[in-house]
Amino acid sequence: MNVFVNPKQTIEELKDLRSLTGDEHGAQRVAFTEKWTIARTWLREKLEALPVEVHTDAAGNLWATLKGQSEQELLMGGHIDSVPNGGWLDGCLNTLTALASLRRIIEQYGTQPPVTIRLVDWADEEGARFGKSLFGSSACSGTLNMDEARGLTDADGIKLVDALRDCGIDFEKVKDSGVELKNASAYLELHIEQGPVLLDLDLPLGTVLGTFGVERHAITFHGQAAHSGSTPMNRRKDALLAAARMSPEIYAITERHEGVCTIGSCVTKPGIVTSVVEQCQITLDQRHLDAAGLAKMLAEAKQASADFAAAGDVTVDWTRLWQIEPILFHEKLIELCDQAITETCGKTHRLPSGPLHDAAEPARVGIPTIMMFVQSLHGISHNKIEDTKEAHLELSVIAFDKLVEKTIHWLTDSL
Amino acid sequence: MNVFVNPKQTIEELKDLRSLTGDEHGAQRVAFTEKWTIARTWLREKLEALPVEVHTDAAGNLWATLKGQSEQELLMGGHIDSVPNGGWLDGCLNTLTALASLRRIIEQYGTQPPVTIRLVDWADEEGARFGKSLFGSSACSGTLNMDEARGLTDADGIKLVDALRDCGIDFEKVKDSGVELKNASAYLELHIEQGPVLLDLDLPLGTVLGTFGVERHAITFHGQAAHSGSTPMNRRKDALLAAARMSPEIYAITERHEGVCTIGSCVTKPGIVTSVVEQCQITLDQRHLDAAGLAKMLAEAKQASADFAAAGDVTVDWTRLWQIEPILFHEKLIELCDQAITETCGKTHRLPSGPLHDAAEPARVGIPTIMMFVQSLHGISHNKIEDTKEAHLELSVIAFDKLVEKTIHWLTDSL
């Protein structure tokens, strides 16, 4: 029996969800808020209509399980939560496409597929309210820093711990959710790209190689305030001059090593029109899929800052704000994802993911993981104008389902 | 009879004034405040002890007049007000040195010198409280913008108009002070340099050629916010990159044209570590003694900003914040000042003034004007560490008095 996934139903469901939880400013499904709970209930009702076991784990992640002939589990899903004023596809496209595949599997295999199939809707991927992304997936993988998370509050001063309690979650027990992963053999996730790579290549779909490692630093140059009228140019200790020279330099660094570097903020003190800048702080965000490449980019930025400081008779110091290592996806699943895409639309492309995703969490604890990207119009995300052509959305549902089927076969073959 | 000025007395008086109106943070003689009134009363008592007529004009400027054989008037002085936490010499050195010369003239010529001699203490040179410098001198010269000044308030919301009334000054009549200048034939002012030029040349004194013209602009680059992880470098519209390239550029511009240029402030939006900068606003302050040089510096900065914007796929716009033309001092008085300095300490140096001074006001309405600078240790002003070696202070009192005498002779010869 040849059974096919139903992409048109997925698009209808995406639109229904948009009507239910969005407004004129975009999607409003911020985790641990009312709109998110509405979205969750809506999804849960759809799952409960299927012959699957549905429950929420100790971290608030929603699971739907279709027991298979093997205890091995194929996980698929993502997150229904959004940033405030977010796009309509990030990330609910992943949970609803997983729902489509779950339906297709039930239709094809009945209630006993070759391996156990599980849909997961992770709690709070975005971290929009409390500033900590990948909350549910990192609790589940065990990488969540409990001491850091315990202290988090939202803009109104409400503690994460209390917001969780209101949702029936005991913060101190969130890592008990780790039990959900004990038989996990693969994790699959579809996501809108959030960048312009596939758009520029005019390709609907791509295979994600992994998520970038990130080095995030504040760099402060210290010079001397001096009167803008009475201080000759050669007597200046201009903190801004040294900092400014970092901006073209990070473009040169990525030219040599690939990856991406961003100076997102520049703050000057005293910051008045009539004074040479005494202190200039910039932030640097560097990302690379290769740990050695990332280390080289960081080392070269540090050297450049020291050189510019010395040349300008100022000093410089660095403070690390955050870092994470690159997380590579599974080689075999990369191959299967390429095949699924190629069979669906003729051509694929491999690309890294700049943003982090829930998929990083199962991947970093050794579960074979892969993501598929669908083209993003405008290359924009976290914005109400985020969009993808409906034809591409349909292709993504079809290709993702092919990837699911290929993964079932791979897991079965390896039994 | 050979009569000499008494520089040691001037240094004693400077120290007395410091004790009377300074604290551990520096000088506190902010115009139209209590400490300024105390300083003014102290100065007035010293003037009233001499055979001179003393009065305050309609703008609050303090005048002491020694009627001469001619109606031609030689004006000399400056301002006793300071910035908050200011240096002990800026600007009271000028009024107290003028006082020393006034005493010497009385001793030498009695009560009828060849020309009329007037000491002036301008009200509110610094503009520290209301943000408008050269208040008293610009009211007197007639260049004060009444509409602008009428709206000024201090940090506590007190209006300039009301603060003036408390000091017995009717704002609407301040330009009546213009009558004081009707017989002015020369204006002489001594000031601490406030920069490092004489320090670097190891010279005690210099002749000031004039005050820089100033062009002051806000320059805003408009790009596009984009995710720091998902946006390839070649797809970015990075407002900071274009703005940052202006910083080394202004050094190149001054290399070609002399003058000075300063980017004193840089503000980035959204200004977060994870986003490419959408909007970057910098301020540019350009100063040159030559109007054509200033115009060239401005034109080249505009061209550079347009080039950097085009290269970076962003746009740029300029808003003028303020401008003033260069004000050149009087050729004959420059010569006399050089002579006075050379006779006093062997060597002089001609330099422009980056900061504005009261002297700009009589100069811009055509009164022959000159300033003399004395070396500033550290090249620093508007700071409690501002200082000048006592030996240099003594030389400055002597040289200034020689300049006064030479000017009397020049005015007499031209009768």
Side-chain angles (χ1 to χ4, degrees):
Chain A
M1 182 181 71
N2 254 351
V3 176
F4 297 104
V5 73
N6 184 350
K8 292 203 188 298
Q9 183 182 9
T10 304
I11 291 169
E12 282 315 305
E13 287 175 335
L14 284 164
K15 290 178 178 173
D16 289 348
L17 182 63
R18 177 166 61 182
S19 304
L20 191 67
T21 57
D23 60 23
E24 73 274 26
H25 304 297
Q28 307 296 350
R29 296 181 298 275
V30 176
F32 310 124
T33 67
E34 196 193 339
K35 279 278 159 72
W36 176 70
T37 307
I38 291 170
R40 267 287 181 92
T41 305
W42 174 86
L43 176 62
R44 190 173 182 133
E45 281 167 5
K46 290 188 180 290
L47 292 168
E48 286 174 344
L50 302 176
V52 297
E53 180 273 331
V54 180
H55 75 272
T56 301
D57 71 18
N61 303 306
L62 177 66
W63 295 89
T65 305
L66 175 67
K67 264 289 189 197
Q69 295 165 40
S70 151
E71 284 210 329
Q72 279 199 100
E73 296 176 354
L74 185 163
L75 315 185
M76 57 187 182
H79 64 101
I80 209 161
D81 74 292
S82 77
V83 294
N85 307 324
W88 72 301
L89 301 169
D90 169 15
C92 55
L93 173 63
N94 44 40
T95 41
L96 295 177
T97 300
L99 174 62
S101 282
L102 186 60
R103 287 194 188 110
R104 192 271 305 162
I105 289 166
I106 292 166
E107 200 180 337
Q108 180 164 342
Y109 294 106
T111 52
Q112 263 216 328
V115 297
T116 298
I117 307 291
R118 303 187 73 191
L119 180 152
V120 58
D121 173 40
W122 303 106
D124 199 5
E125 194 261 4
E126 299 287 3
R129 183 169 163 199
F130 295 96
K132 164 72 191 114
S133 35
L134 313 189
F135 172 77
S137 51
S138 66
C140 194
S141 74
T143 68
L144 179 69
N145 182 327
M146 294 295 285
D147 289 335
E148 194 183 86
R150 197 177 285 111
L152 294 174
T153 55
D154 70 8
D156 296 325
I158 297 171
K159 296 179 84 167
L160 169 64
V161 170
D162 295 329
L164 289 177
R165 187 179 305 117
D166 291 346
C167 293
I169 300 164
D170 177 352
F171 173 75
E172 297 305 330
K173 294 191 176 159
V174 293
K175 285 196 175 175
D176 291 356
S177 62
V179 67
E180 304 288 344
L181 296 182
K182 76 175 192 300
N183 293 319
S185 298
Y187 175 81
L188 316 179
E189 183 174 333
L190 171 69
H191 208 284
I192 183 169
E193 183 197 332
Q194 303 183 275
V197 174
L198 294 173
L199 180 72
D200 286 352
L201 293 168
D202 199 19
L203 290 177
L205 301 168
T207 299
V208 184
L209 292 165
T211 57
F212 276 160
V214 183
E215 284 283 355
R216 204 173 279 169
H217 293 258
I219 312 171
T220 310
F221 293 86
H222 303 272
Q224 188 171 65
H227 193 290
S228 62
S230 63
T231 314
M233 303 307 281
N234 63 2
R235 282 288 300 233
R236 296 181 176 209
K237 298 178 180 182
D238 185 343
L240 177 64
L241 175 63
R245 293 177 67 192
M246 289 298 289
S247 186
E249 182 64 20
I250 62 163
Y251 284 78
I253 287 173
T254 56
E255 190 83 31
R256 290 194 289 273
H257 301 291
E258 301 189 328
V260 289
C261 295
T262 306
I263 297 174
S265 158
C266 178
V267 177
T268 48
K269 290 181 185 172
I272 56 174
V273 66
T274 53
S275 177
V276 174
V277 174
E278 172 147 321
Q279 185 184 303
C280 185
Q281 184 173 84
I282 56 175
T283 59
L284 177 62
D285 177 291
Q286 299 184 292
R287 306 193 189 205
H288 205 292
L289 193 59
D290 173 55
L294 183 59
K296 271 185 214 152
M297 294 204 312
L298 177 60
E300 290 188 12
K302 284 195 171 173
Q303 185 60 50
S305 74
D307 293 346
F308 295 148
D313 202 11
V314 303
T315 61
V316 62
D317 56 62
W318 285 59
T319 307
R320 176 175 272 138
L321 301 174
W322 190 65
Q323 73 170 149
I324 189 170
E325 71 277 20
I327 293 163
L328 301 177
F329 292 152
H330 192 269
E331 261 186 55
K332 179 66 189 176
L333 290 176
I334 289 172
E335 219 176 90
L336 296 182
C337 189
D338 276 346
Q339 288 172 16
I341 293 173
T342 310
E343 289 169 18
T344 306
C345 55
K347 199 175 170 197
T348 186
H349 177 73
R350 293 180 176 188
L351 73 168
S353 171
L356 275 175
H357 291 285
D358 286 313
E361 291 297 332
R364 72 198 293 197
V365 293
I367 298 165
T369 296
I370 188 69
M371 289 185 77
M372 182 186 288
F373 274 169
V374 62
Q375 190 193 104
S376 169
L377 289 170
H378 327 298
I380 291 272
S381 78
H382 288 192
N383 191 304
K384 68 170 178 178
I385 69 162
E386 173 198 271
D387 205 5
T388 294
K389 286 180 196 160
E390 281 201 14
H392 289 176
L393 287 177
E394 291 192 21
L395 290 173
S396 75
V397 176
I398 293 165
F400 184 79
D401 187 58
K402 281 188 200 291
L403 170 61
V404 170
E405 190 57 27
K406 286 175 191 294
T407 307
I408 291 172
H409 285 285
W410 172 59
L411 292 177
T412 314
D413 289 350
S414 65
L415 279 179
Chain B
M1 181 180 68
N2 253 349
V3 176
F4 297 103
V5 73
N6 184 350
K8 291 203 190 298
Q9 183 182 12
T10 304
I11 290 170
E12 282 316 304
E13 288 175 334
L14 284 165
K15 289 177 179 173
D16 289 348
L17 183 62
R18 177 166 62 182
S19 304
L20 190 68
T21 56
D23 60 22
E24 72 275 26
H25 304 297
Q28 306 296 351
R29 296 182 297 276
V30 176
F32 309 124
T33 68
E34 196 193 339
K35 280 277 159 74
W36 176 72
T37 308
I38 291 169
R40 267 286 180 90
T41 305
W42 174 87
L43 175 63
R44 190 171 182 133
E45 282 168 3
K46 290 187 181 291
L47 292 168
E48 287 175 343
L50 302 176
V52 296
E53 180 272 332
V54 180
H55 75 272
T56 301
D57 72 17
N61 304 306
L62 177 67
W63 295 90
T65 305
L66 176 67
K67 265 287 190 199
Q69 295 166 39
S70 150
E71 285 211 327
Q72 278 200 103
E73 296 176 355
L74 184 163
L75 314 185
M76 56 186 180
H79 64 101
I80 209 163
D81 74 294
S82 76
V83 294
N85 308 323
W88 73 300
L89 300 170
D90 169 14
C92 55
L93 173 63
N94 45 38
T95 42
L96 294 177
T97 300
L99 173 62
S101 282
L102 185 59
R103 289 195 187 109
R104 194 272 305 162
I105 289 164
I106 292 166
E107 200 180 336
Q108 180 165 345
Y109 294 105
T111 52
Q112 262 217 331
V115 298
T116 297
I117 307 291
R118 303 187 74 192
L119 180 152
V120 59
D121 173 39
W122 302 106
D124 199 6
E125 193 260 3
E126 298 288 2
R129 185 170 162 197
F130 295 98
K132 164 72 191 115
S133 35
L134 313 188
F135 172 78
S137 52
S138 66
C140 193
S141 74
T143 69
L144 178 70
N145 182 327
M146 295 295 283
D147 289 334
E148 194 182 84
R150 198 177 284 112
L152 294 174
T153 56
D154 69 8
D156 297 324
I158 296 171
K159 294 179 86 166
L160 170 65
V161 171
D162 296 329
L164 290 176
R165 186 179 307 116
D166 291 345
C167 293
I169 301 163
D170 177 352
F171 173 76
E172 297 304 332
K173 293 190 176 160
V174 293
K175 286 195 175 177
D176 291 357
S177 60
V179 69
E180 304 289 344
L181 295 183
K182 75 174 196 301
N183 292 321
S185 299
Y187 175 80
L188 317 179
E189 182 175 333
L190 172 68
H191 208 284
I192 182 168
E193 184 198 331
Q194 303 184 272
V197 174
L198 294 172
L199 180 71
D200 285 352
L201 293 168
D202 199 20
L203 290 176
L205 301 167
T207 300
V208 185
L209 292 165
T211 57
F212 277 159
V214 182
E215 285 283 356
R216 203 172 280 170
H217 293 259
I219 313 170
T220 309
F221 293 86
H222 304 270
Q224 188 172 64
H227 192 291
S228 62
S230 62
T231 315
M233 303 306 282
N234 63 1
R235 281 289 301 234
R236 297 181 175 209
K237 298 179 178 181
D238 185 343
L240 177 63
L241 174 64
R245 294 177 68 191
M246 290 299 288
S247 185
E249 182 64 21
I250 62 162
Y251 283 79
I253 288 172
T254 57
E255 190 82 32
R256 291 193 288 273
H257 300 291
E258 300 187 331
V260 287
C261 296
T262 306
I263 298 175
S265 157
C266 177
V267 177
T268 48
K269 287 181 186 172
I272 55 174
V273 65
T274 53
S275 176
V276 174
V277 174
E278 172 146 323
Q279 186 183 303
C280 184
Q281 183 173 83
I282 56 177
T283 58
L284 177 62
D285 178 289
Q286 299 185 292
R287 305 192 188 207
H288 205 293
L289 193 59
D290 172 56
L294 184 59
K296 271 185 214 152
M297 294 205 311
L298 176 60
E300 291 188 12
K302 285 196 170 172
Q303 185 60 51
S305 74
D307 293 346
F308 296 148
D313 202 12
V314 303
T315 61
V316 62
D317 56 63
W318 285 59
T319 307
R320 176 175 272 139
L321 301 174
W322 190 65
Q323 72 171 148
I324 189 170
E325 71 277 20
I327 293 163
L328 300 178
F329 292 152
H330 191 269
E331 260 185 56
K332 179 66 189 175
L333 289 176
I334 289 172
E335 218 177 276
L336 295 181
C337 190
D338 276 344
Q339 288 171 15
I341 293 172
T342 310
E343 288 170 18
T344 307
C345 55
K347 199 174 170 196
T348 187
H349 177 74
R350 293 180 176 187
L351 73 169
S353 172
L356 275 175
H357 291 284
D358 285 315
E361 291 297 333
R364 71 199 295 195
V365 293
I367 298 166
T369 296
I370 188 67
M371 288 184 78
M372 182 185 289
F373 274 169
V374 61
Q375 189 193 106
S376 169
L377 289 169
H378 327 298
I380 291 274
S381 78
H382 287 191
N383 190 304
K384 68 170 177 177
I385 70 162
E386 175 197 271
D387 203 6
T388 294
K389 287 179 195 161
E390 281 201 15
H392 289 176
L393 287 177
E394 290 193 22
L395 290 173
S396 75
V397 176
I398 294 165
F400 184 79
D401 188 57
K402 281 187 198 293
L403 170 62
V404 170
E405 191 57 28
K406 286 175 190 293
T407 307
I408 292 172
H409 286 283
W410 172 58
L411 292 177
T412 315
D413 290 350
S414 65
L415 280 179

